[in-house]
Amino acid sequence: MALGSATTHTSGRSGSGRFRRPAAAAVAALTAAALLSACGYGSKSEDNSSAAPAAAASGPKLSADTVKIGYFANLTHGTALVGLKEGLIQKELGATKVKTQIFNAGPTEIEALNAGSIDIGWIGPSPSINGYTKSDGKSLRIIGGSASGGVRLVVNPDKIKTLDDLKGKKIATPQLGNTQDVALLNYLATKGYKVDAASGAGDVSVVRTDNKVTPDAYKSGSIDGAWVPEPTASKLVSLGAKELLNEKQVWPDGKFVITNIIVSQKFLKEHPDVVEAVLRGSVNTNAFIKANPDKAKESANAAIKEAAGNALDAAILDPAWKDIEFLDDPLANTLQAEADHAVTAGLLKKPNLTGIYDLTLLNKVLQAQGKPAVADAGLGAK
């Protein structure tokens, strides 16, 4: 929603008096842009295009010569990182070539999908919601799951020892209206804290901070903690922060969507065989990750190094990877819940998500492998 390599910028709003509360129209415009970036790593980015890094295309060609795939160089996008690095996705595509594009933020990836620059993308739930609703349900479908978990509230243990100590403290989230921002606002509301969603001011100051600089903000003392995805949470822990809450604790069964797979409706209609092949590669990759966790972790880190120039240190990589669950189920019921939380926070008008999912091809792949079908929570295409 959410990466060791992101180069991003945020609105920079805090609860201080230096910022006036925006007018309602301005808040709506800002919120719409912010929600698009819910993978959690900012509102702006530079994109990097490259050919798929692993196996060369071979075998029968499907209905498209090329499929353009977008994703983040993020641990929470590990299915894409490992599937492409290990050639597991390319293997299913035969002679159909893969062209990849790496993004740092959700808005740019959605724009690329709408423009036809990519066909399929790994992305967080909030940009999926916003991309779908802003297009009146015409731009995309969610076709599969990818990851759950990987988000923690970590704090300075000298200032915050229990959840009751949050009042008056400054807690960072990646961006106004992003997935983690919504989760924190919702959690604070359930605990009776009053916070103005737009400005972040209130009983707890919600400080929207670029994940890239959050560790420095923590070291300087300008924030007291952060509700952030991996690997930022583990980076803060390496600096002395302590986990106060794992977001898994606030979700039924400890699962919530952090990354899913989307496709442009045009590409899905014209090339269902290609989409099915990518989904088969994704399912096989998730199985590979479960069967070979250490090798998969190394592969993901190698892919991050290729994209960002730097791999993650083991002290950060190991706990971050362990906290993420890779799975085929898009956890559709939690997507609706996340949208409801954004509405409650005043960051989003109640969206109509009917039709956002099309899990037909995923369930075909799962059935062929003797695996149970996954549900769309009543939000499937009719």
Side-chain angles (χ1 to χ4, degrees), residues 106-191:
T108 318
E109 186 169 345
I110 292 293
E111 289 168 5
L113 187 84
N114 291 340
S117 298
I118 64 168
D119 307 308
I120 295 174
W122 271 256
I123 198 167
S126 289
S128 304
I129 291 168
N130 219 32
Y132 183 76
T133 57
K134 284 172 69 68
S135 69
D136 295 324
K138 298 176 182 177
S139 66
L140 62 86
R141 303 273 190 224
I142 298 174
I143 53 172
S146 181
S148 170
V151 180
R152 295 189 282 167
L153 170 61
V154 295
V155 300
N156 184 331
D158 295 331
K159 297 181 179 180
I160 303 172
K161 299 187 182 301
T162 72
L163 291 166
D164 294 330
D165 298 330
L166 291 173
K167 188 171 184 177
K169 301 303 190 296
K170 295 170 288 186
I171 305 299
T173 64
Q175 187 179 22
L176 171 64
N178 102 305
T179 303
Q180 289 78 51
D181 190 63
V182 170
L184 174 59
L185 290 171
N186 182 71
Y187 180 77
L188 293 174
T190 66
K191 296 302 179 183

Side-chain angles (χ1 to χ4, degrees), residues 319-337:
W321 186 259
K322 185 178 180 180
D323 199 46
I324 303 166
E325 180 182 4
F326 297 97
L327 71 182
D328 307 313
D329 190 341
L331 304 174
N333 59 321
T334 69
L335 183 89
Q336 180 66 68

Side-chain angles (χ1 to χ4, degrees), residues 63-306:
S63 63
D65 293 332
T66 302
V67 57
K68 296 165 288 186
I69 296 176
Y71 60 99
F72 284 29
N74 239 14
L75 288 180
T76 51
H77 290 223
T79 305
L81 293 173
V82 175
L84 292 166
K85 180 69 176 174
E86 296 293 327
L88 297 169
I89 293 175
Q90 181 64 75
K91 180 181 178 181
E92 299 303 323
L93 287 163
T96 296
K97 297 179 181 179
V98 174
K99 181 179 180 182
T100 63
Q101 191 166 352
I102 299 173
F103 296 89
N104 293 327
T108 318
E109 186 169 345
I110 292 293
E111 289 168 5
L113 187 84
N114 291 340
S117 298
I118 64 168
D119 307 308
I120 295 174
W122 271 256
I123 198 167
S126 289
S128 304
I129 291 168
N130 219 32
Y132 183 76
T133 57
K134 284 172 69 68
S135 69
D136 295 324
K138 298 176 182 177
S139 66
L140 62 86
R141 303 273 190 224
I142 298 174
I143 53 172
S146 181
S148 170
V151 180
R152 295 189 282 167
L153 170 61
V154 295
V155 300
N156 184 331
D158 295 331
K159 297 181 179 180
I160 303 172
K161 299 187 182 301
T162 72
L163 291 166
D164 294 330
D165 298 330
L166 291 173
K167 188 171 184 177
K169 301 303 190 296
K170 295 170 288 186
I171 305 299
T173 64
Q175 187 179 22
L176 171 64
N178 102 305
T179 303
Q180 289 78 51
D181 190 63
V182 170
L184 174 59
L185 290 171
N186 182 71
Y187 180 77
L188 293 174
T190 66
K191 296 302 179 183
Y193 292 114
K194 305 295 184 183
V195 178
D196 178 72
S199 69
D203 294 335
V204 179
S205 294
V206 179
V207 186
R208 281 75 186 222
T209 308
D210 185 332
N211 275 294
K212 187 178 180 182
V213 301
T214 296
D216 288 334
Y218 178 81
K219 285 190 290 184
S220 73
S222 61
I223 60 171
D224 303 312
W227 188 298
V228 284
E230 295 292 3
T232 306
S234 291
K235 287 181 180 179
L236 294 176
V237 170
S238 74
L239 296 174
K242 300 294 183 183
E243 178 183 311
L244 193 63
L245 181 74
N246 191 309
E247 191 173 337
K248 293 176 183 178
Q249 295 170 239
V250 302
W251 287 96
D253 301 321
K255 294 184 179 182
F256 60 98
V257 59
I258 189 69
T259 310
N260 45 215
I261 309 171
I262 60 172
V263 65
S264 79
Q265 292 185 24
K266 181 176 184 294
F267 192 83
L268 177 61
K269 181 178 179 180
E270 294 177 354
H271 305 288
D273 57 334
V274 177
V275 176
E276 181 180 340
V278 171
L279 287 170
R280 192 160 50 247
S282 176
V283 169
N284 292 344
T285 298
N286 288 337
F288 175 86
I289 291 172
K290 286 182 174 63
N292 308 277
D294 291 337
K295 181 173 175 55
K297 178 175 63 178
E298 293 173 3
S299 180
N301 205 22
I304 287 174
K305 182 177 181 180
E306 290 175 1

